[in-house]
Amino acid sequence: MKFSYVNPTVIHFGQGQIEQISHSIPKDSKVLVIYGGGSIKKNGVYDQVVTALKDHQWSEFSGVEANPTKETLDKAIEIVKTENINYLLAVGGGSVIDGTKYVAAASLHDGDSWDLITGKYKPEAALPLGVVLTLPATGSESNMGAVVTKKATQEKLGFLSPTVRPAFAVLDPDAMKTLPERQLINGLVDAWVHVCEQYITSPTGHMVQEGYAEVLLRNLLDLGKAFEQRDDVWRANLMWTANQALNGLIGTGMPQDWATHMIGHQLTALWDVDHARSLAIIQPSLLRSQMEFKKGKIEQMGRNVFGLTDSDDLAERTIQAIEAFYASLDVDTQLSEVQGDKSDAVDAVVKKLEDYGYLKLGENQAISLEVSRQILKQAL
Ligand code: NZQ
Ligand code: ZN
């Protein structure tokens, strides 16, 4: 176990905390508030932000779509550059936050913003950004990742940079009250798979990371079971669990997989499948395919998360328990966006993986293109 760990994002957690942004952003900043399709205008979040920024100079950019696009974000970058904006405030879910991170980094670059994704531009600095989170799912509010889509080529790709980790994030569970059930369930499932990607590898004996991952998984399972009885405490627990699932802590010094995400992103890019649902489609098939490496950890999950008893088929029963968890939330594990024969769909995804050079995915680099093809055949 060897790692360096820091997570400098200040978290303001709890009801009424949106007012904290007035102290968290320097008063002499020129702020651009970035948000999505307008949900924040229906739940009072926008009004609270306006009140909190009453002593700041600010303007706004709206219309960042779910699975944010380069095409839209380039317009925000243009505004930042021409109006000398020097602080960004993302108000929304993972898409708005990721989009804002992209703007924060690309605004300091003279070339094409996509250079950030291809790696041609490696940011050494970015504009500071803060977050008001309205959808707990991605952990983007306090991590250094972002995923952006280039609409023109249907490419969905990410970048990682410590320069875009938010300076602060407000996590007020009341902001979630207007979330449609579908988005709330997406949040649960995305956070679940984030923990799995960092946990279902091989047993490491790292008690903190593995034990904490199991706590987070049990939380998400319990929150799923209590979905119909959700209240303030339920919302607060989901918000904090989803944050902890991908703020970097449980992944420190651990082998990590992320192949479910890499393959899942292609389903979103090609058929607009919700991010979380793309993961539920791929994951069970991927786990079965990688049993040779992951069996020990899947069995550990069966015992410590699902409370299953030992047996020769414990790993398979654990995967079935994961599938049952998705089914209990009405999350499809089939690609229903494509009807009939799915072989063209499998080819299309494999082609994308090949184009991106995703030739050896997973913690053991054991998921070759051919293995991805087998996983997709089983999954779709
Ligand atoms: O645009 P608005 O009007 O705000 O509506 C959004 C959007 O339509 C709506 N919504 C958000 N908060 C709401 C609300 N509706 C009512 N009440 C509220 N309080 O929900 C819809 C989906 O929002 P989105 O931000 O797309 O969802 P999510 O947070 O799940 O983010 C998904 C994106 O994050 C990326 C995904 O790939 C996807 O592009 N990810 C980012 C990661 C990261 N940065 O670390 C990791 C993840 O694995 C993931 O890849
Ligand atoms: Zn995810």
Side-chain angles (χ1 to χ4, degrees):
M1 191 163 26
K2 187 174 178 186
F3 59 83
S4 306
Y5 176 72
V6 63
N7 187 328
T9 304
V10 177
I11 304 281
H12 299 296
F13 193 96
Q15 292 168 316
Q17 289 280 53
I18 294 177
E19 65 183 23
Q20 291 280 1
I21 61 183
S22 64
H23 315 292
S24 300
I25 303 178
K27 286 282 184 318
D28 56 357
S29 308
K30 213 171 166 197
V31 185
L32 184 66
V33 176
I34 299 183
Y35 58 98
S39 67
I40 62 164
K41 294 217 165 149
K42 295 186 197 130
N43 57 12
V45 168
Y46 179 82
D47 294 339
Q48 291 178 66
V49 169
V50 170
T51 304
L53 289 177
K54 67 180 181 343
D55 297 326
H56 285 81
Q57 194 188 347
W58 65 277
S59 53
E60 62 183 59
F61 180 86
S62 64
V64 176
E65 53 282 81
N67 308 307
T69 64
K70 169 201 188 307
E71 287 82 353
T72 297
L73 299 170
D74 277 346
K75 295 179 193 156
I77 292 166
E78 186 61 30
I79 293 172
V80 168
K81 286 182 176 175
T82 54
E83 296 184 11
N84 298 318
I85 301 287
N86 58 19
Y87 209 105
L88 304 177
L89 181 65
V91 187
S95 294
V96 168
I97 304 167
D98 285 7
T100 303
K101 289 173 171 177
Y102 185 84
V103 173
S107 292
L108 301 186
H109 173 51
D110 287 333
D112 184 7
S113 63
W114 199 247
D115 292 345
L116 201 53
I117 300 288
T118 60
K120 191 172 161 199
Y121 174 61
K122 295 198 186 344
E124 282 177 12
L127 293 180
L129 67 136
V131 168
V132 178
L133 180 68
T134 64
L135 196 176
T138 62
S140 185
E141 66 276 10
S142 66
N143 69 33
M144 56 182 180
V147 187
V148 175
T149 297
K150 194 184 208 179
K151 215 156 119 188
T153 49
Q154 287 186 309
E155 289 174 277
K156 183 172 183 179
L157 291 163
F159 74 99
L160 285 172
S161 170
T163 63
V164 298
R165 202 190 289 265
F168 70 90
V170 177
L171 275 61
D172 177 347
D174 276 354
M176 297 161 57
K177 283 185 172 165
T178 47
L179 271 173
E181 284 198 358
R182 183 181 181 89
Q183 297 300 343
L184 211 45
I185 289 170
N186 285 352
L188 259 172
V189 170
D190 192 22
W192 171 270
V193 180
H194 291 162
V195 182
C196 292
E197 298 271 34
Q198 299 163 88
Y199 171 81
I200 310 180
T201 54
S202 35
T204 61
H206 299 174
M207 294 166 82
V208 171
Q209 292 91 327
E210 293 192 1
Y212 195 24
E214 288 164 2
V215 167
L216 299 176
L217 289 171
R218 285 199 298 274
N219 287 358
L220 293 164
L221 202 56
D222 289 344
L223 291 167
K225 284 182 192 149
F227 189 76
E228 296 305 332
Q229 294 88 44
R230 53 196 186 276
D231 57 10
D232 285 355
V233 180
W234 189 97
R235 278 186 285 274
N237 278 321
L238 175 59
M239 203 167 223
W240 193 222
T241 302
N243 173 272
Q244 300 291 295
L246 196 48
N247 72 348
L249 181 60
I250 62 166
T252 49
M254 293 291 278
Q256 301 191 20
D257 184 341
W258 296 106
T260 296
H261 270 72
M262 295 302 137
I263 302 174
H265 283 334
Q266 314 317 322
L267 307 188
T268 306
L270 289 166
W271 299 286
D272 227 11
V273 178
D274 289 0
H275 170 63
R277 287 160 203 265
S278 75
L279 308 175
I281 293 169
I282 300 297
Q283 190 204 30
S285 164
L286 187 140
L287 295 181
R288 288 193 175 96
S289 135
Q290 296 299 292
M291 198 61 107
E292 142 187 24
F293 306 106
K294 295 181 184 289
K295 188 166 183 223
K297 212 53 178 291
I298 296 173
E299 290 178 337
Q300 183 179 328
M301 181 176 178
R303 280 189 292 271
N304 295 349
V305 177
F306 290 106
L308 300 176
T309 48
D310 278 323
S311 68
D312 287 347
D313 62 350
L314 175 57
E316 173 55 29
R317 285 193 293 129
T318 304
I319 297 173
Q320 287 170 10
I322 295 173
E323 290 172 316
F325 173 54
Y326 297 150
S328 74
L329 297 169
D330 248 343
V331 171
D332 211 347
T333 47
Q334 298 289 311
L335 180 67
S336 45
E337 280 75 2
V338 178
Q339 299 298 323
D341 179 35
K342 309 260 169 84
S343 46
D344 286 352
V346 171
D347 287 344
V349 176
V350 173
K351 168 85 172 59
K352 281 212 162 282
L353 297 174
E354 188 172 11
D355 289 350
Y356 297 150
Y358 292 166
L359 310 179
K360 289 178 180 174
L361 295 174
E363 74 277 14
N364 296 301
Q365 312 254 284
I367 305 180
S368 62
L369 275 188
E370 195 39 46
V371 175
S372 289
R373 180 181 293 283
Q374 294 312 321
I375 291 170
L376 285 157
K377 274 189 183 165
Q378 293 300 319
L380 305 191

